[in-house]
C-alpha cells in the first residue's frame, strides 16, 4: 500500500511523540516505584529493628532475672529439701521463697508467673496455692515439646495460662531453664526447672503500631515455630524458602507480588518477617500513572491539531512536484514549476527545473550517441564483409568448378555462406555472440583460406570448453586471424609451416584471449603506427591490417570500458601476439 508523504509525516510524528511520552512515562513510573520500594524497605528495616530492640530487651531481662535467681544463694539454700525440718518449718521455708519470687514479678510487670520445680517435684511460685494447676499446666504440649527438643534454656510457643486474681486465661510465652544449684553436688538425676511465664501481649505490642502497613507480620522462634502471626492463617512463604533467603544475608527478597523483609538480631535465633504487598504499595503510583496516561492522550490531540495544518502547508509544494513528475513521465519535457517557500523545497523545485533542462539535453545527446552507435555498427559490417575477401573467395570457387573440384567448391561456398549469415543478424545479436560461435566463424574462414593456400598454415586451439558460453563482441577473432594470415604468414615466402595459435585463460572476473602467429612480426615503429590507427580512418589503412584491430579495440572499450581492450606484442622476424581482454560474462 502506497502512503502519501502527508500521511507518513503524521504517522512519524505520532510515533515519535507517542514513543517519547511513553518512554518518559515508563522511566518516571519505574523511577518512582523503585524509590517507593527502596524507601519502604528502608522504613521496614527500621521498624523491624525497633521491634527487635523491644523483644530483645524482654529476652535479656528474662535471662538476667533467671541468672539472678539461679545464683542467689539464699533462694537456692531455701529451695533445698531438708528432712530435719518439721511441717511448719517447711511451710515457712516455701513461703519465704514464694515471697521473694513475688518481688521479681512486682518489679517486672511483663512476667506473670515464676515457677521453680525442685528435683523432688515440689513447686515454688509467686502464685501460691496453684500447685494442682501447675501439675496439669506442665503436662501441656508446649512443655513436652521443649522437653523432647532438649537444649537449655528455651522459649516456648504461645500457650494459654490461667491467671488468678479474676483475670482468667491469657496467652503466655514461657522461658524454661534447667539447672543444678552451685552449692549442691552433682548427684545425677533430674535437675531443677525454672519457668518464667511472660505475657504474650508484651511481644504482640511491638507489632501493633505497624501491623496495618504490611500484608503479614511474623515472629518465628529458634526452630521457626510461629510465635506471632498478624493473620489467622499460615505464613505466605514456607520455611525452606525462608532459610534459603536468610542464608544469602541480603536482608530481604522479592518476587512479582511481595517484598519480604526479615530481621534476626534478637536472641535465641528469633526471626521477624514483614511481608509487603506490591499491589498495595504501588496503589497510589498507579493512580498517578492513570493521570499521566490521560495527559498523554490530551497532549496527542493538541499536538495533532497544531501539526495537521502545518504538515499540509509543507507537503503542498511536494504535491505540485509529484504532479509535474507524472507529466514528465508521460513525455512532457516542457514542464516548469514555481515554488516560493523560501526553504529547501524551493531549492528542490529549482533543482527539478534544472533536471528537466538537463534531461532534454540528455535526450538530444542520446540521439547523437545512437547515431554514433549505428555508425560503429556500419563500420563493423564493413570490416566483417571485406569485398576483397569475397571477390577472392568467389574467384577460387570458379577456379575449383572449372577444375572439376566440385566437392572443394561446395565446401568453400558453404563456409562463405556461414560467415555471411553470421554477419547480417539484427538486434542485440548483431553486437554479441558466444565464444563458441566465434570459434566456428574462424574455423569456416580457415577452411576457405586452406583452399586458397593449401598446406601454408594451420590453426592450433587451446580453449577450455567451459569458456564456450562466454559472451563476447561479434567478429573479434576473425579480423585478427585474417591479419595474422595475410600480414604475418602469407606475406612472405616460407619454408616452414605457418602456425596460428589461439588460447584463452581466465581469472575471477577477466578472460584473456590470445592469438599468436609465427609470421614476420613487426618493428617498434609499425607497432606505434598500429596503435594510433582509428576505426574511422582512411580506407588505405585497410590494406595495412590496422582497420580490423582498431575496430575490435574500440568496440571492446565501447562495451566494457577503458580497462578492457586489445594488447599487441610483436618481435620482428619471430611473430606477433594479440591479447584480447574481456569480462567474464556467460549466457546465463
Amino acid at each position: 500500500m502506497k502512503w502519501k508523504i502527508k500521511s507518513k509525516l503524521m504517522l512519524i510524528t505520532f510515533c515519535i511523540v507517542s514513543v517519547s511520552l511513553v518512554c518518559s512515562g515508563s522511566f518516571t513510573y519505574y523511577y518512582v516505584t523503585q524509590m517507593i520500594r527502596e524507601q519502604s524497605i528502608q522504613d521496614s528495616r527500621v521498624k523491624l529493628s525497633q521491634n527487635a530492640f523491644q523483644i530483645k530487651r524482654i529476652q535479656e531481662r528474662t535471662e538476667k532475672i533467671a541468672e539472678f535467681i539461679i545464683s542467689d544463694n539464699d533462694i537456692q539454700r531455701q529451695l533445698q529439701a531438708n528432712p530435719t525440718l518439721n511441717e511448719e518449718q517447711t511451710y515457712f521455708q516455701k513461703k519465704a521463697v514464694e515471697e521473694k519470687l513475688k518481688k521479681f514479678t512486682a518489679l517486672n510487670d511483663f512476667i506473670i508467673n515464676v515457677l521453680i520445680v525442685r528435683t523432688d517435684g515440689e513447686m515454688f511460685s509467686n502464685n501460691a496455692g496453684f500447685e494442682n494447676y501447675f501439675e496439669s499446666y506442665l503436662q501441656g504440649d508446649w512443655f513436652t515439646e521443649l522437653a523432647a527438643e532438649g537444649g537449655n534454656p528455651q522459649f516456648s510457643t504461645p500457650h494459654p495460662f490461667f491467671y488468678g486474681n479474676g483475670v482468667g486465661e491469657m496467652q503466655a510465652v514461657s522461658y524454661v531453664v534447667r539447672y543444678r544449684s552451685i552449692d549442691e553436688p552433682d548427684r545425677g538425676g533430674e535437675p531443677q526447672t525454672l519457668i518464667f511465664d511472660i505475657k504474650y501481649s508484651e511481644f504482640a505490642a511491638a507489632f501493633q503500631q505497624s501491623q496495618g502497613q504490611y500484608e503479614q507480620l511474623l515472629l518465628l522462634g529458634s526452630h521457626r515455630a510461629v510465635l506471632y502471626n498478624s493473620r489467622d492463617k499460615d505464613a505466605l512463604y514456607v520455611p525452606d524458602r525462608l532459610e534459603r533467603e536468610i542464608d544469602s544475608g541480603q536482608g530481604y527478597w522479592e518476587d512479582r507480588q511481595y517484598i519480604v523483609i526479615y530481621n534476626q538480631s534478637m536472641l535465641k535465633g528469633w526471626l521477624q518477617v514483614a511481608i509487603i504487598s506490591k499491589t498495595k504499595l504501588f496503589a497510589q503510583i498507579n493512580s498517578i500513572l492513570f493521570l499521566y496516561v490521560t495527559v498523554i492522550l490530551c497532549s496527542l490531540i493538541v499536538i495533532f491539531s497544531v501539526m495537521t495544518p502545518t504538515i499540509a502547508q509543507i507537503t503542498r509544494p511536494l504535491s505540485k512536484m509529484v504532479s509535474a513528475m507524472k507529466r514528465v513521465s508521460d513525455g512532457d519535457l516542457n514542464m516548469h514549476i514555481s515554488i516560493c517557500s523560501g526553504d529547501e523545497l524551493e531549492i528542490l523545485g529549482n533543482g527539478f527545473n534544472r533536471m528537466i533542462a538537463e534531461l532534454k539535453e540528455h535526450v538530444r545527446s542520446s540521439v547523437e550517441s545512437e547515431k554514433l552507435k549505428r555508425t560503429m555498427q556500419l563500420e563493423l559490417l564493413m570490416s566483417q564483409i571485406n569485398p576483397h575477401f569475397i571477390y577472392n573467395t568467389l574467384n577460387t570457387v570458379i577456379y575449383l568448378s572449372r577444375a572439376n573440384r566440385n566437392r572443394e567448391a561446395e565446401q568453400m561456398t558453404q563456409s562463405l555462406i556461414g560467415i555471411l549469415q553470421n554477419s547480417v543478424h539484427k538486434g542485440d545479436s548483431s553486437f554479441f555472440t558466444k565464444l563458441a560461435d566465434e570459434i566456428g566463424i574462424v574455423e569456416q574462414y580457415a577452411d576457405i583460406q586452406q583452399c586458397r593456400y593449401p598446406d601454408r598454415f594451420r590453426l592450433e586451439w587451446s580453449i577450455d570448453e567451459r569458456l564456450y558460453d562466454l559472451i563476447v563482441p561479434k567478429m573479434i577473432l576473425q579480423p585478427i586471424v585474417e591479419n595474422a594470415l595475410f600480414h604475418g604468414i602469407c606475406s612472405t615466402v616460407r619454408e616452414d609451416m605457418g602456425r596460428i595459435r589461439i588460447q584463452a585463460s581466465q581469472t575471477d572476473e577477466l578472460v584473456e584471449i590470445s592469438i599468436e602467429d609465427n609470421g614476420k612480426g613487426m618493428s617498434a615503429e609499425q607497432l606505434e603506427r598500429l596503435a594510433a590507427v582509428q576505426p574511422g580512418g582512411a580506407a588505405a589503412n585497410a590494406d595495412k591490417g590496422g582497420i580490423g584491430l582498431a575496430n575490435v579495440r574500440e568496440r571492446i572499450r565501447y562495451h566494457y570500458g577503458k580497462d578492457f581492450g586489445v594488447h599487441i606484442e610483436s618481435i620482428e622476424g619471430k611473430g606477433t601476439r594479440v591479447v584480447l581482454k574481456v569480462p567474464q560474462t556467460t549466457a546465463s
Side-chain angles (χ1 to χ4, degrees), residues 150-277:
N152 189 40
Q154 301 179 78
F155 283 92
S156 71
T157 57
H159 58 273
F161 177 82
F162 182 82
Y163 189 60
N165 300 327
V167 176
E169 190 175 84
M170 63 186 305
Q171 288 292 104
V173 174
S174 298
Y175 179 69
V176 180
V177 183
R178 290 182 175 85
Y179 70 97
R180 300 181 187 278
S181 175
I182 58 177
D183 296 331
E184 185 179 30
D186 186 4
R187 298 174 182 176
E190 291 293 327
Q192 297 183 129
T193 303
L194 173 62
I195 302 173
F196 288 91
D197 292 313
I198 305 170
K199 295 178 182 179
Y200 177 72
S201 59
E202 293 292 330
F203 297 103
F207 300 97
Q208 293 301 322
Q209 294 182 353
S210 55
Q211 181 174 339
Q213 302 176 12
Y214 300 99
E215 188 74 12
Q216 190 171 21
L217 276 171
L218 295 171
L219 178 61
L220 306 179
S222 57
H223 296 286
R224 298 300 178 253
V226 179
L227 303 180
Y228 175 81
N229 188 352
S230 62
R231 288 186 169 187
D232 295 332
K233 61 181 181 180
D234 294 336
L236 296 179
Y237 290 84
V238 294
D240 59 343
R241 167 72 182 273
L242 190 67
E243 295 299 332
R244 288 200 306 269
E245 299 297 341
I246 290 175
D247 291 339
S248 67
Q250 187 176 1
Y252 73 94
W253 84 88
E254 61 182 312
D255 56 19
R256 292 183 177 180
Q257 294 181 323
Y258 301 103
I259 301 174
V260 181
I261 301 100
Y262 57 87
N263 180 288
Q264 51 181 351
S265 61
M266 297 162 288
L267 302 180
K268 303 300 180 184
W270 284 19
L271 177 70
Q272 287 184 88
V273 179
I275 303 174
I276 303 173
S277 171

